[in-house]
């Protein structure tokens, strides 16, 4: 029998950091979706003021289904309140969430077991790529933990490889919001949904999974494909879905047709969906939340309100007391005027963390026209960037801190390598710093000379290997029409001019800049320099520039190594880091970072920071340093009685 989903109209008496009182009881409205609800939640009157917090967002999520392929930062934050994570990140370290402990080899719940493999079987090769085993494929035999001991299989000899087996133990006493116990089978069902061929998503970790199943009500076992190992254990747990509510019997499309999957399915986190009306999403405390015995959640409801008009409009609404928090969706990092107002307004704090996609200046080290042979007399671009000293000199000539200051101020940090500062394993002093004199000296060492005693005119090639004499050191820099990128290239031009490096800027629409090869300038490897922003890889971003990732005719121009870097030592360092286990992770990552800076396929800049605005720290009684901290601590925040 179908029922109407009830929504709730809540009137607030709001001032920053104050309690909220429900002014009006729930009323029946026209439904947004129709569901067969299994939730036992019903609105009940309360004699006490309802403690709530209102978060303003620029766009409410269309769905709160975890596996629909739509993953904005705002949606991700909300999902943490409904479905808690298996593991959490604290100070760049992984700690338990609803999984009872982090598995380790020491404790025996993470093991490598040797297995026999046969031709035609799916395995992970020495680079971490998923391949079909056949003659000539290079793999790590059992007991081999580094690329240096990898072998090329001859297609005949028996072969054993190691596979990783991990046991994950759920915390006891977790139930769904409808009172049904949460079991390991629910996480297994989440994996089945996520790995379904019609489910959107990259499926990188799903493809490297041999099996994921419940051993009992509390225990899951993950088994990897032979050859695959990882230190990123958090990827090996799938967010549970209520298997007592949903079914894949009618396929992916049938699952989505179940209206509960859109907004109103049971959750097991501190909050569940209490109502969804146009422009307002209401989360209410989960009466069956396992943390209630510890007094969580500290709030009775979270209101997520849609605000149009951008960052300035959101700031005005916040000042008017109509919401308590401005979330990351307003892209406040680029709203300089609003940020300045927030900084000078008493009673508000900025909370910042790194965004995921990182901006970089990629060197066109080896254009596609060099693949047959290099001959500048036949029209090939002179080999301006083949000498690594030239690339390092250009990086020394770039004041990245000044670039950051002019765009995002002190909101974030320059990346020392392919990793942000908080995840880098490099020691202080091992990174490349701005040093004009070092840059000029390196260029002179390579053979670029100042022919006219004017440091601001392009240098000329005097004895540069592979470059015709008297070639001016002028590079074309490709960039999208993005305002952020346009701002950066103006800075680049001015800074490199001081080192005698001329830069001409060519702006292209994104669809043209990122067009497939061989015609597209980036994936067709037809550029000198490019300013781009990459989304992170599921493994490590050193893999962006592995030799096997060079786009070209042999791989239908599919690959991320648009720089064309090809170096065996770099490949090995990156491969070892990608497939390392937790005990050797720090050492492996540091070696990969050092190799990256030694060869420098791209200059790392920084990621666009994600910023939220919220009442000052004393309103909450806890320290909140990052966006992740705020949403992970939101269930246990003080009831905000400390605020004026």
């Amino acid at each position: 029998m179908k029922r109407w989903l009830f929504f709730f109209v809540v009137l607030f008496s709001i001032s920053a950091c104050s309690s909220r009182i429900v002014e009006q009881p729930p009323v029946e409205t026209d439904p947004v979706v129709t569901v067969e609800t299994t939730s036992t939640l019903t609105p009940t009157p309360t004699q006490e003021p309802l403690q709530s917090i209102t978060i303003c967002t620029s766009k409410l999520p269309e769905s709160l289904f975890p596996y629909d392929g739509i993953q904005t930062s705002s949606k991700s934050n909300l999902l943490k309140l409904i479905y808690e994570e298996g593991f959490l990140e604290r100070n760049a370290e992984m700690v338990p969430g609803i999984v009872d402990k982090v598995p380790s080899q020491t404790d025996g719940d993470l093991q490598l077991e040797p297995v026999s493999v046969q031709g035609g079987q799916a395995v992970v090769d020495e680079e971490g790529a998923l391949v079909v085993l056949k003659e000539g494929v290079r793999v790590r035999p059992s007991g081999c933990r580094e690329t240096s001991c990898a072998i090329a299989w001859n297609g005949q000899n028996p072969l054993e490889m190691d596979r990783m087996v991990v046991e994950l133990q759920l915390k006891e006493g977790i139930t769904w919001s409808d009172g049904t116990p949460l079991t390991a089978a629910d996480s297994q069902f989440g994996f089945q949904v996520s790995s379904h061929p019609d489910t959107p998503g990259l499926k990188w970790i799903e493809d490297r999974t041999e099996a994921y199943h419940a051993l009992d009500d509390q225990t899951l076992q993950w088994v990897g494909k032979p050859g695959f190992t990882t230190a990123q254990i958090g990827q090996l747990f799938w967010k549970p879905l209520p298997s007592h509510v949903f079914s894949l019997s009618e396929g992916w499309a049938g699952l989505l047709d179940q209206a509960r999957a859109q907004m109103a399915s049971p959750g097991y986190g501190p909050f569940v969906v209490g109502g969804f009306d146009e422009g307002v999403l209401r989360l209410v405390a989960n009466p069956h939340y396992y943390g209630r015995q510890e007094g969580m959640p500290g709030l009775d409801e979270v209101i997520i309100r849609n605000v149009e008009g951008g960052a300035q409009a959101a700031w005005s609404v916040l000042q008017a007391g109509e919401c308590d928090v401005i979330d990351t969706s307003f892209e406040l990092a680029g709203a300089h005027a609003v940020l300045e107002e927030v900084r000078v307004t008493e009673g508000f704090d900025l909370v910042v963390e790194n965004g995921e996609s990182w901006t970089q200046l990629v060197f066109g080290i080896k254009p596609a026209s060099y693949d047959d042979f290099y001959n500048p007399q036949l029209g090939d671009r002179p080999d301006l960037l083949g000498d690594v000293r030239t690339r390092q000199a250009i990086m020394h000539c770039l004041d990245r801190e000044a670039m950051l200051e002019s765009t995002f101020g002190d909101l974030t940090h320059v990346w020392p390598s392919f990793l942000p500062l908080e995840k880098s394993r490099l020691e202080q002093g091992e990174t490349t710093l701005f040093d004009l004199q070092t840059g000029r000296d390196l260029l002179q060492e390579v053979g670029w000379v100042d022919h006219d005693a004017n440091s601001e005119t392009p240098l000329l090639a005097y004895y540069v290997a592979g470059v015709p004499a008297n070639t001016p050191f002028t590079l074309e820099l490709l960039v999208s029409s993005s305002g952020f990128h346009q701002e950066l290239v103006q800075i680049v031009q001015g800074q490199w001019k001081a080192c005698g490096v001329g830069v001409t800027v060519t702006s292209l629409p994104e669809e043209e800049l990122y067009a497939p090869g061989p015609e597209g300038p980036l994936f067709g490897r037809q550029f000198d320099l490019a300013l781009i922003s990459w989304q992170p890889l599921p493994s490590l971003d050193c893999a962006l520039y592995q030799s096997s990732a060079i786009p070209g005719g042999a791989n239908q121009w599919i690959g991320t190594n648009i720089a064309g870097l090809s170096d065996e030592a770099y490949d090995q360092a990156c491969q070892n880091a990608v497939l390392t286990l937790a005990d050797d992770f720090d050492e492996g990552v540091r070696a990969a970072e050092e190799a990256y800076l030694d060869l420098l396929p791209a200059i790392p800049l920084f990621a666009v920071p994600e910023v939220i605005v919220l009442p000052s720290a004393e309103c909450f009684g806890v320290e909140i340093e990052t966006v992740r901290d705020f949403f992970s601590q939101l269930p246990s925040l003080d009831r905000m009685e400390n605020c004026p």
Side-chain angles (χ1 to χ4, degrees):
M1 174 180 176
K2 295 188 176 181
R3 304 178 183 177
W4 295 122
L5 178 65
F6 286 86
F7 296 99
F8 309 99
V9 178
V10 183
L11 302 178
F12 305 103
S13 173
I14 298 178
S15 59
C17 300
S18 65
S19 300
R20 277 56 166 197
I21 302 175
V22 177
E23 302 283 357
Q24 177 177 324
V27 295
E28 185 171 346
T29 67
D30 291 336
V32 175
V33 291
T34 301
V35 300
E36 294 179 21
T37 179
T38 59
S39 174
T40 60
L41 279 179
T42 56
T44 56
T46 177
Q47 300 300 316
E48 298 181 359
L50 186 66
Q51 308 296 327
S52 71
I53 188 170
T54 300
I55 300 172
C56 280
T57 185
S58 66
K59 186 178 182 181
L60 288 171
E62 296 178 4
S63 161
L64 288 175
F65 190 58
Y67 297 114
D68 61 4
I70 305 171
Q71 296 299 332
T72 64
S73 61
S74 296
K75 176 181 175 179
S76 176
N77 289 331
L78 294 181
L79 286 177
K80 293 173 186 175
L81 304 180
I82 301 172
Y83 308 94
E84 288 193 2
E85 302 290 332
F87 300 94
L88 305 173
E89 190 174 296
R90 291 285 181 270
N91 300 319
E93 298 294 333
M94 190 168 55
V95 298
I98 67 166
V99 176
D100 196 49
K101 67 177 292 292
V102 178
S104 68
Q105 287 181 283
T106 303
D107 293 343
D109 44 11
L110 188 159
Q111 299 181 17
L112 296 180
E113 62 178 32
V115 292
S116 296
V117 292
Q118 308 292 329
Q121 184 176 346
V123 300
V124 171
D125 68 10
E126 65 169 344
E127 296 184 0
L130 187 66
V131 299
V132 174
L133 182 63
K134 61 182 179 180
E135 182 179 352
V137 169
R138 293 189 60 82
V139 296
R140 298 180 179 188
S142 179
C144 173
R145 298 297 309 129
E146 293 186 351
T147 301
S148 58
C149 53
I151 62 169
W153 188 51
N154 62 13
Q156 297 178 354
N157 290 354
L159 177 64
E160 282 194 342
M161 296 176 67
D162 289 333
R163 69 179 182 184
M164 186 170 162
V165 181
V166 180
E167 285 195 6
L168 303 159
Q169 193 78 18
L170 293 175
K171 289 181 177 178
E172 295 186 1
I174 302 177
T175 64
W176 292 97
S177 54
D178 61 5
T180 304
L182 184 145
T183 68
D186 293 321
S187 180
Q188 178 179 319
F189 180 59
F191 168 74
Q192 292 169 348
V193 172
S194 180
S195 57
H196 191 279
D198 294 336
T199 303
L202 186 60
K203 294 185 176 60
W204 186 87
I205 191 64
E206 287 84 355
D207 290 342
R208 287 159 176 75
T209 299
E210 188 77 43
Y212 185 73
H213 48 250
L215 299 182
D216 55 41
D217 283 350
Q218 301 299 123
T219 310
L220 288 147
Q221 184 183 67
W222 177 89
V223 181
K225 288 283 200 311
F228 178 66
T229 52
T230 180
Q232 300 184 60
I233 303 297
Q235 297 184 90
L236 310 183
F237 177 78
W238 275 263
K239 201 181 301 293
L241 286 178
S243 56
H244 64 288
V245 175
F246 299 132
S247 170
L248 264 175
S249 60
E250 297 181 14
W252 169 250
L255 179 62
L256 287 188
D257 284 342
Q258 300 174 61
R260 286 184 298 266
Q262 299 305 312
M263 275 294 179
S265 64
Y268 55 84
F271 297 96
V272 294
V273 174
F276 181 56
D277 207 347
E278 186 174 354
V280 176
L281 171 65
R282 178 172 177 255
L283 304 182
V284 298
N286 176 3
H288 295 285
Y289 181 49
Y290 71 95
R292 289 182 73 86
Q293 59 187 352
E294 300 174 8
M296 297 193 301
L299 301 167
D300 292 321
E301 68 176 4
V302 178
I303 306 296
I304 300 92
R305 176 185 169 190
N306 184 62
V307 173
E308 298 180 351
Q312 186 62 60
W315 172 232
S316 298
V317 170
L318 183 65
Q319 288 179 295
E322 296 175 28
C323 48
D324 303 300
V325 178
I326 300 175
D327 78 0
T328 60
S329 65
F330 293 99
E331 300 180 351
L332 288 162
H336 302 299
V338 173
L339 286 179
E340 186 57 33
E341 287 187 46
V342 175
R343 290 179 189 274
V344 300
T345 303
E346 187 176 353
F348 295 99
D349 283 344
L350 296 175
V351 175
V352 186
E353 70 178 15
N354 268 315
E356 289 194 339
S357 62
W358 56 298
T359 302
Q360 53 192 277
L361 281 160
V362 185
F363 293 109
I365 298 171
K366 185 180 179 183
S369 62
Y370 292 11
D371 287 351
D372 295 329
F373 57 88
Y374 165 64
N375 191 331
Q377 279 73 38
L378 294 180
D380 282 341
R381 183 207 75 186
D383 188 13
L384 304 174
L385 300 168
D387 193 317
V388 67
R389 294 172 298 173
T390 302
R391 304 195 295 274
Q392 291 171 340
I394 290 174
M395 186 169 178
H396 277 296
C397 292
L398 191 64
D399 189 347
R400 296 178 293 158
E401 295 289 350
M403 295 175 70
L404 176 59
E405 175 64 29
S406 68
T407 51
F408 300 129
D410 60 355
L411 293 178
T412 187
H413 302 282
V414 167
W415 285 32
S417 70
F418 58 83
L419 288 171
L421 183 64
E422 66 272 15
K423 294 185 178 181
S424 173
R425 267 48 178 189
L426 294 173
E427 299 291 337
Q428 188 174 10
E430 290 184 310
T431 58
T432 303
L433 302 176
F434 171 59
D435 188 334
L436 276 177
Q437 192 56 53
T438 297
R440 290 167 178 161
D441 290 346
L442 279 171
L443 290 173
Q444 185 175 19
E445 183 181 312
V446 172
W448 294 99
V449 298
D450 182 357
H451 64 289
D452 58 1
N454 183 348
S455 62
E456 294 196 352
T457 57
L459 303 173
L460 292 182
Y462 182 57
Y463 50 87
V464 181
V467 179
N470 296 319
T471 297
F473 198 3
T474 301
L475 302 169
E476 181 186 23
L477 172 56
L478 301 186
V479 63
S480 74
S481 55
S482 158
F484 163 53
H485 285 181
Q486 290 290 320
E487 187 176 356
L488 289 180
V489 295
Q490 299 305 314
I491 302 171
V492 169
Q493 275 186 307
Q495 290 189 358
W496 281 345
K497 187 177 181 181
C499 268
V501 181
V503 178
T504 61
V505 175
T506 299
S507 299
L508 297 173
E510 287 196 358
E511 60 271 17
E512 184 176 341
L513 183 64
Y514 292 94
E519 293 81 10
L522 296 185
F523 293 101
R525 292 164 44 220
Q526 304 174 48
F527 67 96
D528 300 340
L529 286 160
L531 181 67
I532 65 171
S533 295
W534 277 124
Q535 287 289 335
L537 296 176
S539 52
L540 284 174
D541 278 2
C542 61
L544 290 169
Y545 296 108
Q546 289 193 135
S547 301
S548 59
I550 297 175
N555 60 8
Q556 290 75 52
W557 301 93
I558 297 173
T560 55
N561 187 358
I562 59 177
L565 176 69
S566 182
D567 185 90
E568 184 177 353
Y570 175 84
D571 290 344
Q572 289 188 3
C574 182
Q575 291 158 14
N576 288 337
V578 166
L579 294 175
T580 190
L581 293 171
D583 290 347
D584 302 316
F585 185 71
D586 288 356
E587 181 181 348
V589 169
R590 178 175 174 175
E593 289 185 275
E594 290 173 343
Y596 180 91
L597 292 180
D598 286 343
L599 292 171
L600 206 62
I603 299 175
L605 298 179
F606 33 78
V608 177
E610 295 186 344
V611 183
I612 65 175
V613 182
L614 72 173
S616 297
E618 58 266 21
C619 294
F620 299 112
V622 296
E623 288 189 12
I624 300 173
E625 296 181 352
T626 68
V627 175
R628 186 179 293 109
D629 281 345
F630 173 73
F631 282 96
S632 63
Q633 295 186 58
L634 182 57
S636 58
L637 288 181
D638 184 273
R639 289 179 177 266
M640 300 186 291
E641 295 172 353
N642 298 328
C643 298

